Amino acid sequence: MKQPNTTNGHTDPLHVIFNYNDVFFSFFYDDEGGCTHRSHDFAMNYVYSGMMVIDNGTERISVDKGECAFIPRDHRITIYKRTAGGERYCGIFMNFKRNFLREMYARIGRNEVPADTPKLPQKVMKLPKTAEITSLFTSLTPYFNADERPNDDLMQLKLQEGLLALLHIDKRFMPTLFDFNEPWKIDIIDFLNSNYMYEFTQEELAHYTGRSLATFKRDFKKVSDLTPEKWIIRKRLEVAYNIMQEGDVKVADIYSKVGFKNPSHFSTAFKRQYGIPPTAMAAQ
């Protein structure tokens, strides 16, 4: 198998990911330590070789070679990609954006499933091995080869094929995938108190709290005199301070736990906030 052309993606010496019209092909030459994934859109993730473990916070789901998982929109997961059976991880990730789903809904119509059909639970699920899913992803595997770049219209047809495969698995996919209601606003501070350790842009914070960017900025000013970035840093420092007060812990065990990328940034921010370096409180 040749290494792919990555003009539509990115590479490093061990990872290759490239995108053909919302169909992503990925290679991992090592055992990925864990990648936090936040998808704005519904997705299918098929394992071509190796294996993948999806941690949704309450359980770990193993997806082996030839298996496929469904990932809900606006869902945070951690994905571990592993070698297995002597093979590196290779996978195909199919992303269903809202505009695509709107177009498909217009074609399929709203009368296919009774209006009282319930939605699927908001969680990752491993899909059954159907002939439709197997044939879909088998037909995509030639495009791991750099010399076989697919046309965009072909990838659009593959997305349609993937969507139909889901709809044929369970009738609850219809109201789940074709729900175009805007999300309800959720309390900004509650969200940040639960997610301060993660990196967010303001656009992402707006999206995850059910707001436009302009509305998010306006609503945040009502609850804090700080910028969102400064609020998050202060929260991280407060949590770190409380941890160090409670027990014999080391700086190296704290800074990444509360969301700082390196100990130097943590130490500088901590001293600015409390007037002393964290080493004055933590174990040496």
Side-chain angles (χ1 to χ4, degrees), residues 210-259:
R211 293 163 169 84
S212 67
L213 180 58
T215 301
F216 172 79
K217 290 179 177 178
R218 183 174 64 248
D219 288 353
F220 193 84
K221 287 182 179 180
K222 295 177 183 178
V223 296
S224 178
D225 293 330
L226 301 174
T227 65
E229 294 81 4
K230 289 182 178 180
W231 190 100
I232 289 172
I233 290 175
R234 186 180 68 178
K235 174 67 177 181
R236 291 172 176 175
L237 293 171
E238 289 174 351
V239 172
Y241 184 89
N242 290 334
I243 291 173
M244 286 187 285
Q245 279 193 318
E246 291 175 358
D248 188 24
V249 294
K250 297 180 179 180
V251 172
D253 298 328
I254 298 173
Y255 77 90
S256 60
K257 182 176 181 180
V258 298

Side-chain angles (χ1 to χ4, degrees), residues 6 80 87 107 130 206 226 235 258:
T6 58
Y80 301 88
E87 295 181 314
R107 296 184 191 181
T130 66
L226 301 174
K235 174 67 177 181
V258 298

Side-chain angles (χ1 to χ4, degrees), residues 251 255 260-268 278:
V251 172
Y255 77 90
F260 285 93
K261 295 298 183 184
N262 61 73
S264 176
H265 182 202
F266 170 63
S267 296
T268 299

Side-chain angles (χ1 to χ4, degrees), residues 8-198:
N8 292 310
H10 68 270
T11 67
D12 66 31
L14 299 175
H15 304 168
V16 180
I17 301 175
F18 60 108
N19 173 19
Y20 291 139
N21 196 30
D22 294 326
V23 179
F24 295 79
F25 293 76
S26 61
F27 300 74
F28 286 76
Y29 296 88
D30 62 349
D31 282 351
E32 175 74 2
C35 174
T36 301
H37 175 78
R38 297 187 298 270
S39 177
H40 295 318
D41 305 295
F42 296 107
M44 296 169 70
N45 201 330
Y46 176 82
V47 176
Y48 174 70
S49 64
M51 70 171 295
M52 172 177 64
V53 177
I54 302 175
D55 188 337
N56 63 12
T58 59
E59 64 177 335
R60 287 194 169 197
I61 300 171
S62 294
V63 186
D64 297 320
K65 179 178 179 178
E67 294 183 328
C68 186
F70 173 75
I71 302 172
R73 72 181 182 193
D74 300 333
H75 202 67
R76 179 182 292 106
I77 56 176
T78 302
I79 298 178
Y80 301 88
K81 298 171 181 177
R82 307 293 194 201
T83 56
E87 295 181 314
R88 66 188 179 188
Y89 170 85
C90 293
I92 303 173
F93 186 90
M94 189 168 281
N95 203 33
F96 301 111
K97 292 185 175 178
R98 178 170 293 202
N99 287 342
F100 166 78
L101 291 173
R102 284 188 183 276
E103 292 174 4
M104 290 298 294
Y105 180 67
R107 296 184 191 181
I108 294 172
R110 65 181 68 196
N111 298 320
E112 295 289 329
V113 175
D116 59 351
T117 302
K119 296 179 184 178
L120 288 164
Q122 180 74 3
K123 65 178 184 178
V124 175
M125 60 182 290
K126 188 155 67 171
L127 298 170
K129 286 187 176 182
T130 66
E132 292 169 311
I133 289 179
T134 299
S135 63
L136 165 64
F137 287 104
T138 298
S139 71
L140 287 168
T141 55
Y143 302 113
F144 279 115
N145 189 320
D147 297 330
E148 299 292 339
R149 174 181 169 81
N151 294 317
D152 287 345
D153 56 353
L154 177 60
M155 288 296 99
Q156 187 74 5
L157 288 174
K158 294 301 179 182
L159 285 170
Q160 294 176 23
E161 189 177 339
L163 175 63
L164 292 173
L166 291 175
L167 297 178
H168 292 165
I169 288 173
D170 191 320
K171 63 183 180 180
R172 292 176 296 170
F173 273 111
M174 178 73 79
T176 301
L177 293 166
F178 296 143
D179 177 12
F180 303 115
N181 293 321
E182 292 299 324
W184 290 99
K185 286 184 181 181
I186 64 175
D187 186 272
I188 293 174
I189 299 302
D190 285 348
F191 179 83
L192 290 177
N193 276 326
S194 299
N195 297 279
Y196 64 87
M197 68 291 295
Y198 300 111

